[in-house]
Amino acid sequence: MIAKDSKRAPSPFEEVNQRLEEAREISGVPKEAMELLENPYREIRVEIPIYSHGHLSVYTGYRIQHNAARGPYKGGIRYHPHVDLDEVRALASLMTWKTALVNIPFGGAKGGVACDPHAMSEEELFELTNTFFTRIAMILGPNRDVPAPDMGTNAKVMGWAMAAYGRINGHTPAIVTGKPLELGGSVGREDATGKGVVIVTEQWAKASALSLEGTRVVIQGFGNVGSFAALNFAQKGARVIAVNDVKGGVKNDKGLNIPNLMEHVKATGSVVGFEGSDPLEGDEILYQECEFLVPAALGGVITGENASKIKAQVIVEAANHPVTPDGEDILVKNGVVMIPDLIANAGGVTVSYFEWAQNIQQFAWKEARIDDELHAILGKAFAQVLDYAKKYQCTYRQASFAIALDRVYRASKARGYIRV
Ligand code: GLU
């Protein structure tokens, strides 16, 4: 068991386990099964030495395989300066519950390298990716563990990853998802997470007899997830009134023109200075008056310290783990609805599943099929969450964890790993 230190604030992994404990009480999964279900199966840490301009830098990379009772380990690879063992553990665990909730045949994993990809050249990133994947290749495989992009990585990095694995094992497109189309990537994968955020939000609105038309949306983060969420919200007639990125934020109460803003970001590297917008400083983005606040950046941004300042009616968790449990207690007391990460950002891994299936079939699906199947999978999963929350009088997060925990528990039991 991974030791706890009760004197300090809970770590992200401990916070995920806190949520699992709540879900256990609701779902009735036996206590005795929890040690196996909470903790990762395998954790690997590798050194990644890179030479650049004659100077040696040694980076640290992780791959954590949390649970594979329902299928191969699945989850992204993050390149970010804050990557550490505990956070990767938390994110790996979240993947187990996410794939179980949307009922796709995968388990959960996560990986990462502590580095600042924005401060590195393309050659350095290639070297880093090549060495990292070569060093973890022995625990990967299309039926074992299938990585994907996450914060700081993208299709290009996945192409390099596939090549590194292929040099050892032969051409294996199904080894990673989120690849470039030229290497067997799937249409619709790039925008899938952002699109899924909006599919789920619209479903919540319909179930609450509301419409997205004209509602105010604020998005923290304008990377892959935030920008495509913004675009999909705008296409549904919502007003995206504020967005930000690491360099700053922009606001326009009438609604920002998202396609133009995406062009501006392509040209300048940031949302800052977008024509016809007012600037927003620091954390101000979180405290705007709006119907939907969409954290789409780092984890742990809404906490016990700042949750009481939130003026949004609904928080849609496009990022993984953006609200800490003590932040959530305050939000629930204040009547803020939370659509949790497990369902809100599951569009990405769902289309990753389609990519993996296409690679194995060696047959490419049409975009319309991807779109239909994505709507079907997310729609069914969120309908189950809505019903469960009503039946057990619990939050959507508790319902999501409880449904997922029960599925993984049953699969582990069917394999004979758990006998209670
Ligand atoms: N990194 C994404 C996530 O957190 C996608 C994972 C995947 O496609 O496997 O869900």
Side-chain angles (χ1 to χ4, degrees):
M1 189 142 78
I2 292 165
K4 278 187 212 157
D5 172 356
S6 54
K7 284 195 258 357
R8 51 153 179 76
S11 72
F13 181 62
E14 287 162 0
E15 287 176 345
V16 173
N17 289 341
Q18 244 169 278
R19 289 176 162 158
L20 284 170
E21 182 50 30
E22 284 176 29
R24 189 196 67 75
E25 279 167 26
I26 301 167
S27 66
V29 166
K31 223 180 166 100
E32 205 184 316
M34 292 308 284
E35 186 176 342
L36 186 69
L37 294 172
E38 281 175 1
N39 291 298
Y41 164 73
R42 171 158 57 189
E43 304 184 340
I44 176 166
R45 185 192 73 81
V46 292
E47 265 181 342
I48 311 172
I50 305 286
Y51 262 97
S52 107
H53 307 295
H55 170 76
L56 174 67
S57 307
V58 184
Y59 295 90
T60 303
Y62 305 95
R63 182 69 178 172
I64 298 189
Q65 299 176 328
H66 181 265
N67 188 294
R70 300 181 56 267
Y73 299 100
K74 185 87 194 80
I77 299 280
R78 177 172 288 201
Y79 289 174
H80 192 276
H82 292 169
V83 163
D84 67 27
L85 184 63
D86 185 88
E87 196 201 27
V88 181
R89 243 181 222 153
L91 295 167
S93 175
L94 286 175
M95 287 309 300
T96 296
W97 316 114
K98 196 187 302 188
T99 53
L101 179 63
V102 293
N103 214 359
I104 58 176
F106 286 112
K110 202 79 168 200
V113 179
C115 67
D116 180 1
H118 302 293
M120 293 168 75
S121 69
E122 181 146 323
E123 287 71 27
E124 288 165 343
L125 281 173
F126 176 83
E127 280 298 311
L128 180 96
T129 304
N130 192 32
T131 305
F132 179 48
F133 274 84
T134 303
R135 291 183 175 200
I136 62 169
M138 75 288 274
I139 60 158
L140 305 180
N143 294 313
R144 192 170 288 282
D145 184 352
V146 184
D150 197 79
M151 200 179 285
T153 59
N154 53 23
K156 193 187 263 181
V157 173
M158 293 305 114
W160 299 337
M162 180 188 121
Y165 183 86
R167 276 191 288 279
I168 305 167
N169 299 286
H171 182 65
T172 317
I175 185 58
V176 286
T177 57
K179 298 179 291 292
L181 293 180
E182 295 82 351
L183 297 178
S186 177
V187 287
R189 175 61 186 87
E190 198 191 6
D191 58 338
T193 313
K195 185 183 264 186
V197 167
V198 179
I199 292 173
V200 171
T201 308
E202 191 176 35
Q203 190 172 341
W204 176 84
K206 278 192 185 141
S208 314
L210 300 167
S211 148
L212 293 187
E213 189 82 39
T215 53
R216 292 164 303 173
V217 178
V218 170
I219 303 185
Q220 184 201 33
F222 206 69
N224 173 269
V225 179
S227 63
F228 283 112
L231 191 64
N232 279 272
F233 271 117
Q235 284 164 353
K236 296 280 175 194
R239 263 186 301 151
V240 181
I241 59 165
V243 304
N244 81 339
D245 59 31
V246 281
K247 295 194 179 135
V250 289
K251 184 175 176 178
N252 180 338
D253 288 334
K254 293 202 189 83
L256 297 156
N257 181 318
I258 302 300
N260 290 355
L261 180 57
M262 286 171 99
E263 285 303 314
H264 174 85
V265 172
K266 245 188 225 154
T268 67
S270 169
V271 299
V272 172
F274 181 54
E275 210 185 317
S277 69
D278 297 321
L280 268 182
E281 300 295 327
D283 282 354
E284 275 180 66
I285 189 94
L286 295 172
Y287 315 127
Q288 302 297 310
E289 217 166 279
C290 60
E291 279 71 45
F292 298 101
L293 171 63
V294 184
L298 280 173
V301 292
I302 301 172
T303 65
E305 304 284 300
N306 66 357
S308 58
K309 294 200 262 176
I310 301 284
K311 297 197 198 87
Q313 289 177 20
V314 182
I315 294 179
V316 189
E317 295 185 340
N320 286 311
H321 197 58
V323 180
T324 63
D326 56 344
E328 177 151 10
D329 289 345
I330 296 169
L331 294 169
V332 169
K333 239 181 252 147
N334 291 348
V336 179
V337 174
M338 259 159 297
I339 305 183
D341 48 6
L342 289 194
I343 185 73
N345 70 29
V349 73
T350 301
V351 178
S352 275
Y353 164 44
F354 304 156
E355 181 174 331
W356 178 80
Q358 291 171 81
N359 293 154
I360 286 170
Q361 293 171 344
Q362 302 195 37
F363 181 78
W365 302 359
K366 294 204 169 67
E367 192 158 9
R369 175 164 179 201
I370 304 273
D371 210 49
D372 282 357
E373 306 265 16
L374 176 64
H375 276 85
I377 286 184
L378 292 183
K380 185 171 173 192
F382 195 41
Q384 286 170 345
V385 171
L386 295 173
D387 285 352
Y388 196 101
K390 204 175 198 177
K391 185 165 166 202
Y392 293 94
Q393 288 295 300
C394 62
T395 64
Y396 298 146
R397 186 180 326 275
Q398 288 165 332
S400 301
F401 270 97
I403 295 168
L405 180 64
D406 188 57
R407 284 192 183 138
V408 178
Y409 163 65
R410 282 168 195 271
S412 303
K413 207 169 160 165
R415 282 173 182 263
Y417 298 165
I418 292 176
R419 310 247 162 91
V420 283

